[in-house]
Amino acid sequence: MSLLGAAEIRELAEALDLKPSKSLGQNFVHDGNVCRKIVRTAGLTPTDIALEIGPGLGSLTLAMLEEAQAVVAVEIDSRLANQLPITAAKHSERADILTVINQDALTLKSLPIDPTVLIANLPYNVSVPVFLHLLEILPSLRSGVVMVQAEVADRLAAKPNSKEYGIPSVKAAWWADVTGAGSVSRSIFWPQPNVDSKLVGFKRRETPGDEELRKKVFAIIDLAFAQRRKMLRSALSSMYGGSAAAEAVLSAAGIDPTLRGEALDIHGFCAIASQQVES
Ligand code: SAM
């Protein structure tokens, strides 16, 4: 199996007359060693069904084909989706284990096969919504590694009481334990992005409650961080019909009403959402 280097990426882009789209976050990796390292970091095994979002020209896909039992790749750009099986057949003897789906990952409802591991260099503009959407709709996803903009990686992996901690951190924590997994040099991309990238690893854990609770928890998280300098009793006042009522709910949940949202972990938000409120 040969992976894609700078020359192959250039050749493919020329053959497709591809002008990388900024709005689709099209920055392609041209370093096979980095791709293999990402796959190793994800701990992909021969029994895993790997999911890739945004395979692009196939840099990571080829490295995934080396290890997985099967690979499903979801790509929004039809030129890239159509080319990928051809590139896989040219570079790999395992092209038959690849399924390519030409679709916007945000509109995915299910997949023809249940993936166990996610490996992706996510399109930067939609990395958080795509990540959260996949965790929500694909319960078979057990773990994975995604590459995202450095600031987004820091936010996803942030813990309470840090300046990076916010909506992505708490919502991701509903589904999984998320940790930083290292930085990536800008020089491995074509075209070179003007932001830094980092890897984030995740392992799914048991969710703290059912779908009904999750929806309430996510609504509370959105309010708590909408004005992050506000104390919880005033940030949540619109939800409970005034700050006195919000204060009563917070106290019943065992949470100091003068705290800000940034002080609570996912379990704190669950404690608030679990309070029965008379309407
Ligand atoms: N995986 C390739 C690599 O590492 O070289 C390309 C990664 S590039 C950062 C992001 C890829 O995601 C592009 O191929 C882009 O067309 C695709 N993409 C952008 N938005 C998408 C979406 N909503 N759903 C699926 N793919 C998307």
Side-chain angles (χ1 to χ4, degrees), residues 24-29 52-57 59-60 74-77 80 103-106 121-124 126 130:
L24 291 180
Q26 291 181 340
N27 301 94
F28 304 106
V29 176
E52 181 179 16
I53 300 298
L57 292 168
S59 312
L60 257 177
V74 179
E75 171 59 60
I76 197 170
D77 186 328
L80 298 175
Q103 195 177 331
D104 178 345
L106 285 169
N121 173 11
L122 288 175
Y124 288 179
V126 289
V130 166

Side-chain angles (χ1 to χ4, degrees), residues 194-278:
N194 46 19
V195 294
D196 289 318
S197 300
K198 282 187 180 174
L199 299 174
V200 164
F202 72 92
K203 280 200 182 2
R204 186 184 285 274
R205 55 189 177 77
E206 204 177 321
T207 56
D210 60 13
E211 254 316 272
E212 197 189 341
L213 183 71
R214 184 186 69 77
K215 286 189 178 137
K216 270 195 221 161
V217 168
F218 279 26
I220 293 172
I221 292 168
D222 287 334
L223 271 182
F225 287 96
Q227 291 158 296
R228 63 182 287 143
R229 302 309 305 157
K230 273 197 177 175
M231 292 177 190
L232 283 166
R233 68 176 170 212
S234 98
L236 303 185
S237 62
S238 63
M239 175 170 274
Y240 295 109
S243 47
E247 182 157 348
V249 171
L250 288 159
S251 300
I255 295 194
D256 177 352
T258 65
L259 288 177
R260 300 189 172 95
E262 63 197 22
L264 299 192
D265 65 8
I266 185 66
H267 302 292
F269 284 102
C270 290
I272 302 170
S274 300
Q275 295 307 306
Q276 296 298 330
V277 180
E278 283 169 34

